[in-house]
Amino acid sequence: MSDQTIAFDWQAADAAHHLHPFSDHKSLHEGRVRIITGGDGVWLTDDQGRRVLDAMAGLWCVAAGYGREELVEASAAQMRALPFYNTFFKTSTRPVIALAERLAAMAPGDLNHAFFACSGSEAVDTALRMARTYWITRGKPAKRIVIGREYGYHGSTTLGAAAGGMKDMHRQGAALPDFAHIMPPYWYGRGSQMDPAEFGLHAARALEAKIAELGADNIAAFIGEPIQGAGGVIIPPATYWPEIQRICRENDILLIADEVICGFGRTGRMFGCETFGIQPDMMTLAKAITSGYAPLSAVMVGDRVAEVLINETGEFYHGFTYSGHPVSCAVALANLDIIEREDLAARAAASGEILRERLHAALDDLPIVGEIRGVGLIGAIELTADRRTRRPFEKTGRVGTICRDHCFANDLVMRAVRDTMVFAPPLIIGEAEIDDMVARARRAITATMNEVRGEMAV
């Protein structure tokens, strides 16, 4: 059915039949959904003809921007040649082989083996299964516990949600045994009077304390995002990740880096692992691997784990119909061509500096803005009731939701996490578009401040 069919009520049909992810459906149905009909560069167009600046790159994923014809052509060409075949039954396809080889060459260290799935959630589920299978094969089946972090997000499969630290997800059926969580390296919210370097070590050593509590012989892996994205763009102090790496190695615990958001240039390097100087045993990838143009994810597996799985485990009872879908892999290869040819990682590093500089210039005079933080083209604006003491607003999340709605009213997509506005625009964003984004953000945050001024220490 065409979008131009005037007689069709898209709003009513959506409310009647479509269950949205991460939504309060009753509240959603009381308003209007925004129906997106087009995209170009960093811009979206809705069915009312309004242009919207997408400062979230879809869901952190549209690295190369909207409207890339080379990705459309890669998809069409592969569909004509071979729209689908699986990678079970001793078979493979050329796109999946080429992509596995390319990712192995790109990935840091000895992450030389790729297992493909469709989503970041499935990649995390796969990595956790691999970690437990690795220890079972090694004759240590008691090593089952996976340690994650509060505010960690590792997807919506039950294993991924259990590994993550989102309590609302745990309350809805994702609380499982053999998972534990430690504090996040959230200096603004948890750092108290410590300086960032001291706090980074303090937060990392919470892992050491948890290992002492549970016993290293019972722990399979620690999983963490280099930067905690959906948890509020929590950027760890420089002291944090090297200490986590040391603790994992000394206790013979696998380190899994969840790069679903950070991977492919978002942090100003190709991978967040490189930004923070760590070498994981496994790394999960998704989102920007295809710039969101087709569903695809991967687990990159280091030699230590892969050699056991390949040579000792026997059959690994895990996989998906669409593991290594040839069309998605063809799109990924074309997308990686763009990322490398246009040097989007370096571009993210340079544009991120400009963006933060202009955010400070535009927002530092607003008492509601407690902190502006970022690395590359991922960042956050922390809203606070009292900037001097870092006191949060009383009902967590209410002010963030107000600000999100003001952003939408200004045709700007930024996401609210608690009372923090997070952003991750396409890596192709230009300087004029950065200025536009900053101007819209100032209008939205000023409107928010005026609405909640009575709750602030101003």
Side-chain angles (χ1 to χ4, degrees):
M1 187 178 293
S2 168
D3 287 352
Q4 306 305 315
T5 307
I6 298 172
F8 191 77
D9 190 336
W10 295 98
Q11 296 286 334
D14 187 84
H17 303 293
H18 181 201
L19 292 174
H20 289 242
F22 282 87
S23 296
D24 176 337
H25 288 92
K26 182 178 180 182
S27 174
L28 183 70
H29 294 167
E30 289 170 354
R32 284 179 58 86
V33 296
R34 181 168 241 166
I35 299 175
I36 303 300
T37 57
D40 180 46
V42 303
W43 298 94
L44 300 167
T45 305
D46 70 14
D47 64 347
Q48 305 301 303
R50 297 182 68 158
R51 292 182 83 224
V52 182
L53 200 161
D54 183 8
M56 278 305 303
L59 270 178
W60 322 87
C61 54
V62 189
Y66 298 96
R68 303 298 296 238
E69 283 298 319
E70 52 265 72
L71 302 187
V72 177
E73 288 303 316
S75 174
Q78 184 57 47
M79 282 190 172
R80 291 187 192 102
L82 177 68
F84 171 73
Y85 198 70
N86 65 72
T87 56
F88 291 57
F89 317 132
K90 298 184 179 180
T91 62
S92 196
T93 65
R94 287 177 176 173
V96 73
I97 296 167
L99 183 58
E101 181 181 52
R102 188 159 181 180
L103 290 174
M106 293 174 68
D110 67 349
L111 296 168
N112 293 317
H113 309 267
F115 184 103
F116 293 105
C118 289
S119 68
S121 301
E122 292 174 357
V124 167
D125 196 295
T126 299
L128 300 184
R129 290 272 297 277
M130 284 181 170
R132 287 174 171 171
T133 300
Y134 169 81
W135 290 117
I136 290 167
T137 305
R138 294 263 324 265
K140 299 181 179 182
K143 287 176 75 70
R144 288 185 50 80
I145 296 172
V146 174
I147 299 177
R149 299 176 294 184
E150 296 171 42
Y151 300 143
Y153 184 80
H154 302 297
S156 287
T157 58
T158 304
L159 276 185
M166 303 296 190
K167 292 180 180 178
D168 290 337
M169 298 176 77
H170 294 168
R171 283 194 291 269
Q172 293 183 345
L176 294 178
D178 296 324
F179 288 90
H181 301 86
I182 61 172
M183 69 181 295
Y186 181 22
W187 176 81
Y188 187 87
R190 302 285 185 89
S192 186
Q193 302 306 308
M194 286 182 269
D195 66 41
E198 179 186 7
F199 176 71
L201 293 174
H202 170 75
R205 288 169 186 165
L207 176 59
E208 208 161 38
K210 184 61 71 173
I211 292 167
E213 173 192 337
L214 301 174
D217 289 343
N218 298 313
I219 300 169
F222 173 79
I223 185 169
E225 306 148 89
I227 293 172
Q228 290 180 249
V233 183
I234 297 171
I235 301 170
T239 52
Y240 178 78
W241 273 112
E243 186 70 354
I244 290 286
Q245 179 96 72
R246 177 192 69 80
I247 292 166
C248 287
R249 285 179 174 170
E250 288 184 2
N251 289 278
D252 201 17
I253 291 168
L254 297 178
L255 176 56
I256 303 171
D258 184 343
E259 295 255 10
V260 167
I261 286 174
C262 293
F264 303 104
R266 177 60 59 187
T267 65
R269 300 287 297 274
M270 190 61 75
F271 300 104
C273 295
E274 297 169 312
T275 300
F276 292 99
I278 54 173
Q279 179 55 57
D281 296 288
M282 286 184 275
M283 181 169 73
T284 56
L285 303 170
K287 294 192 183 292
I289 194 171
T290 64
S291 282
Y293 281 57
L296 184 68
S297 64
V299 183
M300 300 306 298
V301 185
D303 290 344
R304 171 191 181 191
V305 174
E307 286 170 5
V308 170
L309 294 177
I310 292 167
N311 296 317
E312 300 178 40
T313 295
E315 184 167 351
F316 180 47
Y317 296 99
H318 180 80
F320 307 96
T321 300
Y322 301 124
S323 290
H325 193 290
V327 174
S328 294
C329 289
V331 172
L333 288 163
N335 180 63
L336 295 180
D337 286 344
I338 293 171
I339 289 172
E340 292 184 327
R341 181 177 69 245
E342 299 182 11
D343 203 0
L344 292 188
R347 189 164 167 180
S351 296
E353 292 288 341
I354 294 168
L355 175 55
R356 286 185 292 280
E357 174 189 311
R358 299 203 179 159
L359 284 171
H360 279 292
L363 303 179
D364 279 354
D365 66 321
L366 301 182
I368 196 172
V369 175
E371 183 183 51
I372 297 167
R373 57 180 179 265
V375 174
L377 276 174
I378 181 170
I381 303 162
E382 190 98 29
L383 305 181
T384 181
D386 187 342
R387 179 156 64 183
R388 185 181 60 84
T389 63
R390 306 205 298 257
R391 176 172 61 85
F393 287 97
E394 195 165 309
K395 187 178 179 182
T396 300
R398 186 179 68 86
V399 173
T401 300
I402 290 170
C403 190
R404 181 204 64 191
D405 291 346
H406 282 300
C407 287
F408 283 1
N410 281 278
D411 292 329
L412 172 67
V413 179
M414 286 205 298
R415 183 174 175 180
V417 178
R418 299 182 299 281
D419 294 318
T420 301
M421 304 309 296
V422 302
F423 54 86
L427 304 188
I428 60 159
I429 191 169
E431 199 164 337
E433 293 157 334
I434 286 172
D435 287 339
D436 197 338
M437 173 184 161
V438 169
R440 292 171 192 244
R442 180 178 170 86
R443 289 197 295 271
I445 292 170
T446 299
T448 302
M449 182 178 70
N450 291 336
E451 190 168 336
V452 303
R453 188 177 291 273
E455 303 170 41
M456 296 172 56
V458 179

